[in-house]
Amino acid sequence: MSKTTTGETPTATEEGELGAAGSQLSTAPAEEAPNLPSLGVIGWTRWFWRQLTSMRVALLLLLLLSLGAIPGSLIPQDGVDAMKVEEFRQNHDILAPVYDKLGLFHVYSSVWFSAIYILLFVSLIGCIVPRTWQFVGQLRGRPPGAPRRLDRLPAYTSWRTGAEPEEVREAALALLKKRRFRAHAVGDAVAAEKGYLREVGNLAFHIALIVMLIAFAWGQLFKYEGNKLILEGDGFANTLTQYDDFKSGNLFDQDQLDPFSFSLKDFRGTYEPTGPNRGTPRIYEAHVTYSEGADGAEKTKTIKVNKPLEIEGSKVYLVSHGYAPVVTVKDAKGNVVTDKQAVALLPLDSNVTSSGAIKVMDGYRNAKGEKEQLGFNAFFLPTYGGKGSTMLSTFPALINPMLALSAYHGDLGVDAGFPQSIYQLDKTNLKEFKGSDGKLFKKQLKVGETMTLPNGAGSVTFNGIHEWAGFQVTQQPGSGWALGGAVVAILGLAGSLFIQRRRVWVRAVRGADGVTVVEMAGLGRSESAKVPEELGDLAGTLYDQAPDAPDAPDAPDAPDAPDAPDAPQNDDDTPDSPDSTDTRAVPAEGAEK
């Protein structure tokens, strides 16, 4: 008679009866409660180590690491934008000192963030090493033998057959190996196990996390990132003094800069002329020539957004674009002070409305013949809407360019020894040029027009427009390892979640009446509907090779699969022998034929 039983996972008492067959189907270490009264220094050390390498502590450290990264995203960081940090300090007299004490202006290099990072690193290593060693031992060993009472397992079936026990066990061994189980004969039964990739995925996930932590740490310590604005026709060499701004990791050495240079030949940008996407860039690219090393051959390259120029370990990204009005400045006697100088202005909006400063520091003399310095606040619109319109560009391309200047004279403060922005005027020691109305003298210029300063102080001519491109040069060591670790972590996590590790036993013995009794049972790491289904499929296939004995009574009809496992029977109702009846019995697939 055939029967398949689907019950609950064995209880602790039943697991004791299962012996090695009921041992853990994972490499998770068993936790032991510490014997607190007898703990000494060594005992407490061992207890602390077990807690640190436990899964719950690792998850807690991951949570703390995620929470610790939040202030690094919301609060200005010294290593990213020191000017914003200084501005924050000026605007928040109470919060700034608190943030300084907590290290919130440099989160990723703070003591508390580094402590969480290192503890997580140690926790993962302490978790992986013993689990790996245990898993290797499991791979080198064999699946444990069948327990004494197979009918106590969650998935169970049995029938009587006229085939010899040896024939049934040989057929079962061949079937299980064909289904990619690790199987071997143990006494009167065949033991098999499958799903080792679950633990492989679990270990791969943890190892990948360690690789990612190392890669991120390595990248933060040895990275560098610099920005450079380059006018058309100008060039750049990868040396520290050439950058407009530069930041690097704590262990970076400037000797690690890759030797290369490049020059911007042309920037090309076209924009959507009409529709809802009007002004959106269609073509946005920089044409450059570059060479590697001191004597490298010159090559050409077109740099586009997200398509950088890669030279050894460095990448050159195109990050911005703008315009540089070309001006000629003359002094009171008509002498040229600056001849067709291109002055880069910074864009303020998506239509490249730009602002900046034009500074004449040397060579200028006023109407009295005295040495002075000139300063102009500059406002540039590539597409001016016309007289009476707002001072905002209506399109990013050069359709109707206009340059607005307001003039100052005196001392620019560049000789005071204090750094200042090239895009802003320090008006502390500057005086305004006054117009006929007594107000600040300013004028709007089109290409080719000249602004004559009051009282014969000189003139400024708007000669034309050059374009510039902003580049970011970065080197992020370990980024490839971090990406690889992330991919492996995802695959490993998927494997540990979706692969079910399970064991199957097939016992074939001769009964008291001389007829062979076949028992099959399955056990998974956790309750799963797939274990009974898989066992039923295996039993159906084996049943074809060892069918019911001719004198065996017919099994009652029953549905193919139960809607839900029936409640387990009390020990008093548990059948004492494989051929006894069971009210929970369900025929295996293919068992009744």
Side-chain angles (χ1 to χ4, degrees), residues 50-83:
R50 287 175 180 173
Q51 299 307 307
L52 181 60
T53 57
S54 65
M55 181 61 67
R56 61 176 174 269
V57 172
L59 292 175
L60 178 61
L61 290 171
L62 275 174
L63 176 62
L64 291 176
L65 196 70
S66 302
L67 293 176
I70 293 176
S73 303
L74 300 179
I75 300 173
Q77 299 294 293
D78 281 323
V80 177
D81 195 333
M83 294 184 65

PDB file of all heavy atoms in Angstrom, residues 50-83:
ATOM      1  N   ARG A  50      31.606  35.794  19.578  1.00  0.00           N
ATOM      2  CA  ARG A  50      30.429  35.138  19.008  1.00  0.00           C
ATOM      3  C   ARG A  50      29.334  36.154  18.702  1.00  0.00           C
ATOM      4  O   ARG A  50      28.643  36.038  17.687  1.00  0.00           O
ATOM      5  CB  ARG A  50      29.907  34.079  19.974  1.00  0.00           C
ATOM      6  CG  ARG A  50      30.777  32.831  20.044  1.00  0.00           C
ATOM      7  CD  ARG A  50      30.265  31.870  21.099  1.00  0.00           C
ATOM      8  NE  ARG A  50      31.094  30.679  21.173  1.00  0.00           N
ATOM      9  CZ  ARG A  50      30.952  29.740  22.100  1.00  0.00           C
ATOM     10  NH1 ARG A  50      30.023  29.871  23.032  1.00  0.00           N
ATOM     11  NH2 ARG A  50      31.742  28.672  22.106  1.00  0.00           N
ATOM     12  N   GLN A  51      29.180  37.140  19.593  1.00  0.00           N
ATOM     13  CA  GLN A  51      28.175  38.160  19.316  1.00  0.00           C
ATOM     14  C   GLN A  51      28.560  39.010  18.111  1.00  0.00           C
ATOM     15  O   GLN A  51      27.721  39.323  17.270  1.00  0.00           O
ATOM     16  CB  GLN A  51      28.006  39.059  20.553  1.00  0.00           C
ATOM     17  CG  GLN A  51      27.529  38.344  21.803  1.00  0.00           C
ATOM     18  CD  GLN A  51      26.270  37.543  21.567  1.00  0.00           C
ATOM     19  OE1 GLN A  51      25.279  38.065  21.061  1.00  0.00           O
ATOM     20  NE2 GLN A  51      26.293  36.271  21.944  1.00  0.00           N
ATOM     21  N   LEU A  52      29.829  39.371  18.025  1.00  0.00           N
ATOM     22  CA  LEU A  52      30.288  40.210  16.920  1.00  0.00           C
ATOM     23  C   LEU A  52      30.138  39.506  15.583  1.00  0.00           C
ATOM     24  O   LEU A  52      29.830  40.147  14.564  1.00  0.00           O
ATOM     25  CB  LEU A  52      31.753  40.612  17.133  1.00  0.00           C
ATOM     26  CG  LEU A  52      32.396  41.516  16.059  1.00  0.00           C
ATOM     27  CD1 LEU A  52      31.639  42.829  15.946  1.00  0.00           C
ATOM     28  CD2 LEU A  52      33.862  41.753  16.368  1.00  0.00           C
ATOM     29  N   THR A  53      30.349  38.201  15.552  1.00  0.00           N
ATOM     30  CA  THR A  53      30.284  37.453  14.289  1.00  0.00           C
ATOM     31  C   THR A  53      28.908  36.848  14.048  1.00  0.00           C
ATOM     32  O   THR A  53      28.756  36.047  13.124  1.00  0.00           O
ATOM     33  CB  THR A  53      31.336  36.335  14.292  1.00  0.00           C
ATOM     34  OG1 THR A  53      31.132  35.489  15.430  1.00  0.00           O
ATOM     35  CG2 THR A  53      32.740  36.914  14.336  1.00  0.00           C
ATOM     36  N   SER A  54      27.911  37.221  14.854  1.00  0.00           N
ATOM     37  CA  SER A  54      26.563  36.709  14.637  1.00  0.00           C
ATOM     38  C   SER A  54      25.875  37.493  13.534  1.00  0.00           C
ATOM     39  O   SER A  54      26.232  38.640  13.233  1.00  0.00           O
ATOM     40  CB  SER A  54      25.744  36.785  15.924  1.00  0.00           C
ATOM     41  OG  SER A  54      25.552  38.130  16.311  1.00  0.00           O
ATOM     42  N   MET A  55      24.855  36.879  12.954  1.00  0.00           N
ATOM     43  CA  MET A  55      24.150  37.519  11.847  1.00  0.00           C
ATOM     44  C   MET A  55      23.416  38.776  12.306  1.00  0.00           C
ATOM     45  O   MET A  55      23.395  39.787  11.599  1.00  0.00           O
ATOM     46  CB  MET A  55      23.156  36.529  11.234  1.00  0.00           C
ATOM     47  CG  MET A  55      22.372  37.076  10.060  1.00  0.00           C
ATOM     48  SD  MET A  55      23.437  37.555   8.676  1.00  0.00           S
ATOM     49  CE  MET A  55      24.044  35.940   8.169  1.00  0.00           C
ATOM     50  N   ARG A  56      22.816  38.743  13.499  1.00  0.00           N
ATOM     51  CA  ARG A  56      22.050  39.914  13.937  1.00  0.00           C
ATOM     52  C   ARG A  56      22.951  41.132  14.143  1.00  0.00           C
ATOM     53  O   ARG A  56      22.556  42.266  13.841  1.00  0.00           O
ATOM     54  CB  ARG A  56      21.269  39.583  15.208  1.00  0.00           C
ATOM     55  CG  ARG A  56      22.112  39.184  16.398  1.00  0.00           C
ATOM     56  CD  ARG A  56      21.240  38.973  17.638  1.00  0.00           C
ATOM     57  NE  ARG A  56      22.018  38.463  18.746  1.00  0.00           N
ATOM     58  CZ  ARG A  56      22.201  37.186  19.010  1.00  0.00           C
ATOM     59  NH1 ARG A  56      21.657  36.269  18.209  1.00  0.00           N
ATOM     60  NH2 ARG A  56      22.914  36.794  20.045  1.00  0.00           N
ATOM     61  N   VAL A  57      24.182  40.911  14.650  1.00  0.00           N
ATOM     62  CA  VAL A  57      25.103  42.035  14.830  1.00  0.00           C
ATOM     63  C   VAL A  57      25.575  42.567  13.482  1.00  0.00           C
ATOM     64  O   VAL A  57      25.707  43.775  13.291  1.00  0.00           O
ATOM     65  CB  VAL A  57      26.292  41.614  15.714  1.00  0.00           C
ATOM     66  CG1 VAL A  57      27.351  42.709  15.753  1.00  0.00           C
ATOM     67  CG2 VAL A  57      25.816  41.303  17.124  1.00  0.00           C
ATOM     68  N   ALA A  58      25.834  41.665  12.532  1.00  0.00           N
ATOM     69  CA  ALA A  58      26.236  42.105  11.189  1.00  0.00           C
ATOM     70  C   ALA A  58      25.141  42.953  10.546  1.00  0.00           C
ATOM     71  O   ALA A  58      25.418  43.988   9.928  1.00  0.00           O
ATOM     72  CB  ALA A  58      26.562  40.896  10.322  1.00  0.00           C
ATOM     73  N   LEU A  59      23.880  42.520  10.692  1.00  0.00           N
ATOM     74  CA  LEU A  59      22.772  43.302  10.140  1.00  0.00           C
ATOM     75  C   LEU A  59      22.647  44.645  10.854  1.00  0.00           C
ATOM     76  O   LEU A  59      22.362  45.671  10.224  1.00  0.00           O
ATOM     77  CB  LEU A  59      21.463  42.515  10.264  1.00  0.00           C
ATOM     78  CG  LEU A  59      21.352  41.262   9.391  1.00  0.00           C
ATOM     79  CD1 LEU A  59      20.068  40.512   9.700  1.00  0.00           C
ATOM     80  CD2 LEU A  59      21.401  41.626   7.915  1.00  0.00           C
ATOM     81  N   LEU A  60      22.867  44.645  12.175  1.00  0.00           N
ATOM     82  CA  LEU A  60      22.809  45.902  12.924  1.00  0.00           C
ATOM     83  C   LEU A  60      23.905  46.858  12.456  1.00  0.00           C
ATOM     84  O   LEU A  60      23.663  48.061  12.287  1.00  0.00           O
ATOM     85  CB  LEU A  60      22.954  45.612  14.417  1.00  0.00           C
ATOM     86  CG  LEU A  60      22.968  46.846  15.343  1.00  0.00           C
ATOM     87  CD1 LEU A  60      21.660  47.615  15.223  1.00  0.00           C
ATOM     88  CD2 LEU A  60      23.200  46.424  16.786  1.00  0.00           C
ATOM     89  N   LEU A  61      25.111  46.333  12.213  1.00  0.00           N
ATOM     90  CA  LEU A  61      26.204  47.182  11.747  1.00  0.00           C
ATOM     91  C   LEU A  61      25.924  47.725  10.349  1.00  0.00           C
ATOM     92  O   LEU A  61      26.248  48.874  10.034  1.00  0.00           O
ATOM     93  CB  LEU A  61      27.516  46.403  11.762  1.00  0.00           C
ATOM     94  CG  LEU A  61      28.070  46.072  13.159  1.00  0.00           C
ATOM     95  CD1 LEU A  61      29.255  45.114  13.046  1.00  0.00           C
ATOM     96  CD2 LEU A  61      28.480  47.341  13.880  1.00  0.00           C
ATOM     97  N   LEU A  62      25.319  46.896   9.494  1.00  0.00           N
ATOM     98  CA  LEU A  62      24.934  47.367   8.160  1.00  0.00           C
ATOM     99  C   LEU A  62      23.920  48.501   8.265  1.00  0.00           C
ATOM    100  O   LEU A  62      23.986  49.492   7.530  1.00  0.00           O
ATOM    101  CB  LEU A  62      24.356  46.212   7.342  1.00  0.00           C
ATOM    102  CG  LEU A  62      25.347  45.329   6.595  1.00  0.00           C
ATOM    103  CD1 LEU A  62      24.622  44.144   5.962  1.00  0.00           C
ATOM    104  CD2 LEU A  62      26.091  46.112   5.528  1.00  0.00           C
ATOM    105  N   LEU A  63      22.958  48.348   9.191  1.00  0.00           N
ATOM    106  CA  LEU A  63      21.963  49.397   9.396  1.00  0.00           C
ATOM    107  C   LEU A  63      22.624  50.679   9.886  1.00  0.00           C
ATOM    108  O   LEU A  63      22.322  51.780   9.405  1.00  0.00           O
ATOM    109  CB  LEU A  63      20.909  48.915  10.396  1.00  0.00           C
ATOM    110  CG  LEU A  63      19.836  49.942  10.793  1.00  0.00           C
ATOM    111  CD1 LEU A  63      19.030  50.365   9.567  1.00  0.00           C
ATOM    112  CD2 LEU A  63      18.919  49.370  11.862  1.00  0.00           C
ATOM    113  N   LEU A  64      23.541  50.551  10.847  1.00  0.00           N
ATOM    114  CA  LEU A  64      24.237  51.732  11.360  1.00  0.00           C
ATOM    115  C   LEU A  64      25.076  52.403  10.275  1.00  0.00           C
ATOM    116  O   LEU A  64      25.158  53.636  10.210  1.00  0.00           O
ATOM    117  CB  LEU A  64      25.132  51.332  12.539  1.00  0.00           C
ATOM    118  CG  LEU A  64      24.412  50.905  13.824  1.00  0.00           C
ATOM    119  CD1 LEU A  64      25.420  50.451  14.863  1.00  0.00           C
ATOM    120  CD2 LEU A  64      23.565  52.046  14.367  1.00  0.00           C
ATOM    121  N   LEU A  65      25.704  51.590   9.415  1.00  0.00           N
ATOM    122  CA  LEU A  65      26.499  52.154   8.321  1.00  0.00           C
ATOM    123  C   LEU A  65      25.610  52.938   7.367  1.00  0.00           C
ATOM    124  O   LEU A  65      25.981  54.018   6.891  1.00  0.00           O
ATOM    125  CB  LEU A  65      27.234  51.031   7.591  1.00  0.00           C
ATOM    126  CG  LEU A  65      28.388  51.452   6.682  1.00  0.00           C
ATOM    127  CD1 LEU A  65      29.558  51.947   7.519  1.00  0.00           C
ATOM    128  CD2 LEU A  65      28.838  50.285   5.817  1.00  0.00           C
ATOM    129  N   SER A  66      24.412  52.403   7.087  1.00  0.00           N
ATOM    130  CA  SER A  66      23.475  53.099   6.196  1.00  0.00           C
ATOM    131  C   SER A  66      22.987  54.397   6.835  1.00  0.00           C
ATOM    132  O   SER A  66      22.911  55.442   6.169  1.00  0.00           O
ATOM    133  CB  SER A  66      22.282  52.189   5.879  1.00  0.00           C
ATOM    134  OG  SER A  66      22.710  50.988   5.282  1.00  0.00           O
ATOM    135  N   LEU A  67      22.661  54.334   8.131  1.00  0.00           N
ATOM    136  CA  LEU A  67      22.207  55.543   8.818  1.00  0.00           C
ATOM    137  C   LEU A  67      23.329  56.581   8.905  1.00  0.00           C
ATOM    138  O   LEU A  67      23.084  57.784   8.776  1.00  0.00           O
ATOM    139  CB  LEU A  67      21.713  55.191  10.221  1.00  0.00           C
ATOM    140  CG  LEU A  67      20.443  54.328  10.304  1.00  0.00           C
ATOM    141  CD1 LEU A  67      20.126  53.978  11.754  1.00  0.00           C
ATOM    142  CD2 LEU A  67      19.262  55.046   9.668  1.00  0.00           C
ATOM    143  N   GLY A  68      24.567  56.098   9.115  1.00  0.00           N
ATOM    144  CA  GLY A  68      25.690  57.021   9.198  1.00  0.00           C
ATOM    145  C   GLY A  68      25.985  57.729   7.893  1.00  0.00           C
ATOM    146  O   GLY A  68      26.545  58.828   7.892  1.00  0.00           O
ATOM    147  N   ALA A  69      25.610  57.124   6.771  1.00  0.00           N
ATOM    148  CA  ALA A  69      25.861  57.749   5.466  1.00  0.00           C
ATOM    149  C   ALA A  69      24.861  58.853   5.153  1.00  0.00           C
ATOM    150  O   ALA A  69      25.104  59.676   4.266  1.00  0.00           O
ATOM    151  CB  ALA A  69      25.822  56.691   4.370  1.00  0.00           C
ATOM    152  N   ILE A  70      23.745  58.901   5.887  1.00  0.00           N
ATOM    153  CA  ILE A  70      22.718  59.906   5.600  1.00  0.00           C
ATOM    154  C   ILE A  70      23.238  61.328   5.817  1.00  0.00           C
ATOM    155  O   ILE A  70      23.075  62.191   4.954  1.00  0.00           O
ATOM    156  CB  ILE A  70      21.455  59.633   6.447  1.00  0.00           C
ATOM    157  CG1 ILE A  70      20.805  58.319   5.983  1.00  0.00           C
ATOM    158  CG2 ILE A  70      20.464  60.785   6.334  1.00  0.00           C
ATOM    159  CD1 ILE A  70      19.604  57.908   6.811  1.00  0.00           C
ATOM    160  N   PRO A  71      23.875  61.636   6.977  1.00  0.00           N
ATOM    161  CA  PRO A  71      24.406  62.996   7.128  1.00  0.00           C
ATOM    162  C   PRO A  71      25.437  63.363   6.084  1.00  0.00           C
ATOM    163  O   PRO A  71      25.573  64.533   5.722  1.00  0.00           O
ATOM    164  CB  PRO A  71      25.029  63.000   8.526  1.00  0.00           C
ATOM    165  CG  PRO A  71      24.774  61.696   9.133  1.00  0.00           C
ATOM    166  CD  PRO A  71      24.068  60.828   8.178  1.00  0.00           C
ATOM    167  N   GLY A  72      26.168  62.359   5.571  1.00  0.00           N
ATOM    168  CA  GLY A  72      27.139  62.640   4.529  1.00  0.00           C
ATOM    169  C   GLY A  72      26.501  63.079   3.231  1.00  0.00           C
ATOM    170  O   GLY A  72      27.146  63.710   2.389  1.00  0.00           O
ATOM    171  N   SER A  73      25.210  62.748   3.055  1.00  0.00           N
ATOM    172  CA  SER A  73      24.490  63.160   1.850  1.00  0.00           C
ATOM    173  C   SER A  73      23.741  64.470   2.042  1.00  0.00           C
ATOM    174  O   SER A  73      23.506  65.194   1.073  1.00  0.00           O
ATOM    175  CB  SER A  73      23.493  62.063   1.442  1.00  0.00           C
ATOM    176  OG  SER A  73      24.142  60.831   1.234  1.00  0.00           O
ATOM    177  N   LEU A  74      23.369  64.777   3.291  1.00  0.00           N
ATOM    178  CA  LEU A  74      22.551  65.967   3.542  1.00  0.00           C
ATOM    179  C   LEU A  74      23.365  67.176   3.995  1.00  0.00           C
ATOM    180  O   LEU A  74      22.939  68.316   3.788  1.00  0.00           O
ATOM    181  CB  LEU A  74      21.497  65.636   4.612  1.00  0.00           C
ATOM    182  CG  LEU A  74      20.524  64.504   4.275  1.00  0.00           C
ATOM    183  CD1 LEU A  74      19.563  64.279   5.433  1.00  0.00           C
ATOM    184  CD2 LEU A  74      19.750  64.807   3.000  1.00  0.00           C
ATOM    185  N   ILE A  75      24.508  66.931   4.631  1.00  0.00           N
ATOM    186  CA  ILE A  75      25.322  68.015   5.179  1.00  0.00           C
ATOM    187  C   ILE A  75      26.537  68.232   4.280  1.00  0.00           C
ATOM    188  O   ILE A  75      27.152  67.261   3.833  1.00  0.00           O
ATOM    189  CB  ILE A  75      25.773  67.680   6.613  1.00  0.00           C
ATOM    190  CG1 ILE A  75      24.542  67.486   7.510  1.00  0.00           C
ATOM    191  CG2 ILE A  75      26.667  68.760   7.186  1.00  0.00           C
ATOM    192  CD1 ILE A  75      24.862  66.991   8.897  1.00  0.00           C
ATOM    193  N   PRO A  76      26.904  69.481   3.971  1.00  0.00           N
ATOM    194  CA  PRO A  76      28.094  69.735   3.135  1.00  0.00           C
ATOM    195  C   PRO A  76      29.332  69.084   3.740  1.00  0.00           C
ATOM    196  O   PRO A  76      29.522  69.084   4.959  1.00  0.00           O
ATOM    197  CB  PRO A  76      28.201  71.265   3.121  1.00  0.00           C
ATOM    198  CG  PRO A  76      26.852  71.759   3.473  1.00  0.00           C
ATOM    199  CD  PRO A  76      26.238  70.742   4.379  1.00  0.00           C
ATOM    200  N   GLN A  77      30.170  68.523   2.874  1.00  0.00           N
ATOM    201  CA  GLN A  77      31.364  67.819   3.320  1.00  0.00           C
ATOM    202  C   GLN A  77      32.625  68.576   2.903  1.00  0.00           C
ATOM    203  O   GLN A  77      32.703  69.111   1.788  1.00  0.00           O
ATOM    204  CB  GLN A  77      31.392  66.405   2.730  1.00  0.00           C
ATOM    205  CG  GLN A  77      30.218  65.534   3.151  1.00  0.00           C
ATOM    206  CD  GLN A  77      30.214  65.209   4.626  1.00  0.00           C
ATOM    207  OE1 GLN A  77      31.076  64.507   5.119  1.00  0.00           O
ATOM    208  NE2 GLN A  77      29.220  65.743   5.342  1.00  0.00           N
ATOM    209  N   ASP A  78      33.605  68.584   3.814  1.00  0.00           N
ATOM    210  CA  ASP A  78      34.868  69.286   3.538  1.00  0.00           C
ATOM    211  C   ASP A  78      35.544  68.755   2.288  1.00  0.00           C
ATOM    212  O   ASP A  78      36.101  69.514   1.497  1.00  0.00           O
ATOM    213  CB  ASP A  78      35.816  69.138   4.730  1.00  0.00           C
ATOM    214  CG  ASP A  78      35.459  70.097   5.853  1.00  0.00           C
ATOM    215  OD1 ASP A  78      35.058  71.237   5.557  1.00  0.00           O
ATOM    216  OD2 ASP A  78      35.562  69.706   7.025  1.00  0.00           O
ATOM    217  N   GLY A  79      35.519  67.445   2.093  1.00  0.00           N
ATOM    218  CA  GLY A  79      36.217  66.853   0.959  1.00  0.00           C
ATOM    219  C   GLY A  79      35.505  67.035  -0.355  1.00  0.00           C
ATOM    220  O   GLY A  79      36.076  66.763  -1.413  1.00  0.00           O
ATOM    221  N   VAL A  80      34.256  67.492  -0.330  1.00  0.00           N
ATOM    222  CA  VAL A  80      33.472  67.664  -1.559  1.00  0.00           C
ATOM    223  C   VAL A  80      33.368  69.135  -1.936  1.00  0.00           C
ATOM    224  O   VAL A  80      33.648  69.523  -3.067  1.00  0.00           O
ATOM    225  CB  VAL A  80      32.069  67.039  -1.394  1.00  0.00           C
ATOM    226  CG1 VAL A  80      31.235  67.273  -2.648  1.00  0.00           C
ATOM    227  CG2 VAL A  80      32.176  65.557  -1.091  1.00  0.00           C
ATOM    228  N   ASP A  81      32.958  69.977  -0.990  1.00  0.00           N
ATOM    229  CA  ASP A  81      32.792  71.405  -1.285  1.00  0.00           C
ATOM    230  C   ASP A  81      33.088  72.192  -0.012  1.00  0.00           C
ATOM    231  O   ASP A  81      32.201  72.436   0.822  1.00  0.00           O
ATOM    232  CB  ASP A  81      31.370  71.684  -1.777  1.00  0.00           C
ATOM    233  CG  ASP A  81      31.249  73.051  -2.443  1.00  0.00           C
ATOM    234  OD1 ASP A  81      32.039  73.940  -2.089  1.00  0.00           O
ATOM    235  OD2 ASP A  81      30.373  73.224  -3.314  1.00  0.00           O
ATOM    236  N   ALA A  82      34.348  72.591   0.140  1.00  0.00           N
ATOM    237  CA  ALA A  82      34.763  73.326   1.341  1.00  0.00           C
ATOM    238  C   ALA A  82      34.073  74.681   1.435  1.00  0.00           C
ATOM    239  O   ALA A  82      33.823  75.179   2.542  1.00  0.00           O
ATOM    240  CB  ALA A  82      36.278  73.495   1.343  1.00  0.00           C
ATOM    241  N   MET A  83      33.750  75.311   0.294  1.00  0.00           N
ATOM    242  CA  MET A  83      33.105  76.615   0.319  1.00  0.00           C
ATOM    243  C   MET A  83      31.691  76.522   0.890  1.00  0.00           C
ATOM    244  O   MET A  83      31.261  77.392   1.649  1.00  0.00           O
ATOM    245  CB  MET A  83      33.064  77.201  -1.094  1.00  0.00           C
ATOM    246  CG  MET A  83      34.441  77.520  -1.674  1.00  0.00           C
ATOM    247  SD  MET A  83      34.375  78.302  -3.290  1.00  0.00           S
ATOM    248  CE  MET A  83      33.588  79.850  -2.882  1.00  0.00           C
TER     249      MET A  83
END
